[in-house]
Amino acid sequence: MGLAADRSARIFVAGHRGLVGRALLRVLGAQGYDNLLLRSHDELDLRNAEATSAFFASERPEWVILAAAKVGGLGIMRSAPTEFLTDNLLIQDSVLQAARQSGVRRLLFVASSAIYPRECPQPMREEHLLTGELEPTVRPYALAKIAGIEQCWAMNRQYGTQFLALAPSNLYGPDDHFEPERSQVLASLLRKAHRAKLAGEASMEVWGSGTPRRELLFADDFAEACVHLLGLPEERWAPLVAGEVLPLLNVGVGEDDTIRELAEMVCRVVGFTGRLEFDSSKPDGSPCKLLECSGLSNLGWCSGVRLEDGLRRTYAAVRDRL
């Protein structure tokens, strides 16, 4: 039975205060799901396997969306690679083990498009996983997410669990991190353009050459995809988590833009009319990260929020705190 048929199901949203988690709460609430299990980091440290197991044993969630993770932009990943590897490994293992032991019916594990090789064929397909070298700037984070996907696969094969991993394209939205040390590409550009406009600056610095391409997905769009998947009837869900198949689906919009084009769009939305100055001494990251999403579209879901529309919604919500 899918989620759509059971709005009384006990749903644990792990990481409900993050970008994805808050979007999930909005979407689940709008669709009438109100039996949600929520714990802040202070209430439950998911890196603690014993505490996590006790929570699952006590609360018995039926559905789990594992959106809790240590995330950030290239700057903080370069300065704290150990935490991006070990914290994510600990969170994933604690939750997946506890979910298996307590008999969770369905679980979604939020991975990342960073899992794919740096020089991956475009668009990137699920079967491209582990076919080449990773982008060095995000490798610790990517390796942790790959390990989570492998753990879902292993548990499905060995224990008959129903764990599915999702690889979204770059996510953005009102609940993103906008502080300089943690922001990712779109949040960083939005903050810089807003500050430059207020200060009357003649120019705005952009990291890198401006040539890499990025696919951006609005967080609420991704949350809609999650709820859609959990709501699938058994005959459509079961093949996704059968033990012999890789339990991984890409989630994206099907189009991308260069960093220069993204910066120009941000400036247009914000109203900053100065020039862009690209600092090529800063890292570019992967040259291109476009996802192939036919697997998800064949299951009845496609993105519905255009990038500029999502960007305007984001800026309107956060301009007073940038």
Side-chain angles (χ1 to χ4, degrees):
M1 180 171 60
L3 182 61
D6 189 5
R7 281 179 166 75
S8 64
R10 295 169 66 78
I11 306 168
F12 176 41
V13 180
H16 73 282
R17 290 185 170 180
L19 172 64
V20 173
R22 290 181 186 273
L24 284 164
L25 296 190
R26 287 191 291 270
V27 171
L28 287 165
Q31 296 191 24
Y33 300 100
D34 55 11
N35 195 3
L36 305 181
L37 300 173
L38 308 174
R39 295 292 187 276
S40 69
H41 176 75
D42 290 339
E43 294 170 319
L44 175 61
D45 184 349
L46 294 174
R47 295 171 299 179
N48 184 322
E50 184 177 351
T52 303
S53 179
F55 165 77
F56 272 77
S58 171
E59 299 298 334
R60 312 298 296 188
E62 300 166 79
W63 314 91
V64 174
I65 306 175
L66 177 45
K70 184 173 181 63
V71 299
L74 290 181
I76 193 170
M77 283 196 192
R78 294 172 75 193
S79 66
T82 302
E83 287 74 16
F84 276 91
L85 176 64
T86 58
D87 283 8
N88 284 308
L89 287 173
L90 289 169
I91 290 168
Q92 295 160 194
D93 186 59
S94 293
V95 174
L96 294 175
Q97 294 284 7
R100 175 186 69 81
Q101 293 164 2
S102 65
V104 165
R105 286 158 58 189
R106 293 183 182 181
L107 178 145
L108 292 179
F109 166 56
V110 180
S112 165
S113 60
I115 62 175
Y116 292 111
R118 172 182 168 82
E119 304 295 338
C120 195
Q122 301 293 312
M124 302 183 294
R125 306 177 65 90
E126 290 88 350
E127 57 263 33
H128 290 149
L129 185 68
L130 298 176
T131 59
E133 295 289 332
L134 297 168
E135 162 58 40
T137 56
V138 298
R139 187 168 57 212
Y141 175 74
L143 284 171
K145 291 298 185 179
I146 291 170
I149 296 167
E150 183 66 27
Q151 191 167 5
C152 290
W153 194 5
M155 288 183 165
N156 290 351
R157 293 199 307 272
Q158 186 172 353
Y159 300 110
T161 52
Q162 299 194 32
F163 298 168
L164 177 64
L166 304 180
S169 55
N170 292 61
L171 296 168
Y172 71 98
D175 299 300
D176 209 345
H177 291 289
F178 291 91
E179 58 272 32
E181 66 276 9
R182 296 191 65 186
S183 60
Q184 300 190 60
V185 58
L186 207 63
S188 176
L189 290 172
L190 199 61
R191 181 180 183 277
K192 285 182 176 181
H194 179 75
R195 293 290 183 92
K197 175 187 174 183
L198 292 183
E201 300 286 354
S203 64
M204 180 181 101
E205 180 192 75
V206 180
W207 271 31
S209 65
T211 59
R213 306 188 68 87
R214 292 292 180 267
E215 178 183 11
L216 280 298
L217 177 65
F218 193 54
D220 288 58
D221 236 9
F222 178 63
E224 293 273 3
C226 291
V227 177
H228 176 83
L229 286 167
L230 282 177
L232 289 174
E234 184 61 28
E235 64 270 18
R236 304 204 77 186
W237 169 268
L240 302 175
V241 295
E244 69 276 7
V245 302
L246 180 67
L248 175 64
L249 276 179
N250 289 338
V251 186
V253 300
E255 58 185 41
D256 58 6
D257 299 272
T258 66
I259 297 297
R260 178 182 288 276
E261 291 168 337
L262 291 173
E264 291 170 347
M265 186 184 301
V266 166
C267 290
R268 186 164 60 249
V269 167
V270 171
F272 174 65
T273 58
R275 67 182 181 277
L276 298 175
E277 294 185 349
F278 293 87
D279 183 355
S280 296
S281 70
K282 297 294 196 298
D284 269 337
S286 296
C288 192
K289 294 172 61 179
L290 181 64
L291 295 176
E292 200 285 326
C293 300
S294 61
L296 184 55
S297 63
N298 289 339
L299 293 168
W301 186 88
C302 292
S303 172
V305 180
R306 292 178 57 253
L307 176 55
E308 190 155 346
D309 292 338
L311 184 54
R312 291 187 185 280
R313 288 167 60 178
T314 300
Y315 183 55
V318 304
R319 72 178 71 189
D320 292 336
R321 55 186 175 91
L322 290 177

